[in-house]
Amino acid sequence: MEQITSRTNPLCTHLRKLASSRAYREETGEFLCDSPKLLSEAELWGFGITALLYTSGAALEYAPETYGAARTVLVSESVMRAVSPMETPQGVVFTCRAMGHRPPETLTPDKYGRSRYLLLDGVQDPGNVGTMLRTADAFGWTVFLLPGCADVYNPKTLRAAMGVHFRSVIYRDTLEHAAALLHAAGLPLYAAALGEDTADVRTLDLRRCAVIVGSEGRGVSAEALALCDRRLKIPMDRTCESLNAAAAAAVLLWEGARQEGAEE
């Protein structure tokens, strides 16, 4: 069994750079995960693990060798603290090869017949992006990340998504190309934004559509609004100005799933 006790080991340097640098992740085609939960999800969905580091006190359900990692390494607690992006490491980190996120050439319903898409427009908080990925997975929506969003492989995104990366397709696309795909498929594009034509979300058909949610600060961009068919809003108490981006997305995604369930 390979062991590492030095924090200056080249593998440790590699892992720290994966955790901190989007450019390095894109250059190497790898990303870093940092919990037993994500390790179990990667194993469950057959996602290839390139390296696995663990401490002797890590509470893993299976022996590390069973995960089929290309490189399995026992490390000291100090090394784990040095390579894990978490303030309190959970005793295991691992690396995987990143999947491609090219958009499709055409949009077709998924295997359940659903045609619902969530477009994230410049959502910069990795925790929000991960939460939206997890919520979309729960309610049967496919996600497109538009330019300006947090990296899908940021450790905080991965942690918040809770394994979605290993079981769902996530697309990265330009606004113009995504809008063209949606309109070619006959799907309306709605923006979560206020305006003269804003409609209560409960009055719109969200069973076949796409909804775009903007960044935490500026909201949906002017360029995206110009391509949308309609704006929608979530009815709230008049004393509340807005919702967190991830919370707003959760309401919209649930409404789409609710409408589909009501039809059945």
Side-chain angles (χ1 to χ4, degrees), residues 33-88:
C33 295
D34 57 16
S35 77
K37 168 61 178 175
L38 290 179
L39 180 58
S40 296
E41 287 290 328
E43 172 68 8
L44 177 63
W45 297 99
F47 214 88
I49 298 169
T50 54
L52 187 153
L53 280 67
Y54 72 103
T55 63
S56 59
L60 297 177
E61 185 176 354
Y62 306 104
E65 295 85 347
T66 66
Y67 288 94
R71 186 175 180 182
T72 302
V73 185
L74 176 65
V75 300
S76 64
E77 295 287 349
S78 64
V79 168
M80 181 59 65
R81 288 193 296 271
V83 299
S84 173
M86 299 183 71
E87 290 186 9
T88 305

Side-chain angles (χ1 to χ4, degrees), residues 238-261:
R238 66 183 64 184
T239 61
C240 182
E241 179 183 351
S242 64
L243 290 173
N244 166 275
V251 174
L252 299 172
L253 300 179
W254 178 85
E255 175 63 16
R258 185 199 66 79
Q259 290 181 11
E260 184 177 79

Side-chain angles (χ1 to χ4, degrees), residues 154-186:
N154 182 297
K156 292 181 180 178
T157 306
L158 288 156
R159 200 177 306 129
M162 291 291 285
V164 170
H165 293 71
F166 304 125
R167 59 179 182 266
S168 296
V169 177
I170 305 165
Y171 295 114
R172 284 189 284 196
D173 202 359
T174 65
L175 169 64
E176 294 76 12
H177 186 254
L181 287 174
L182 294 166
H183 289 146

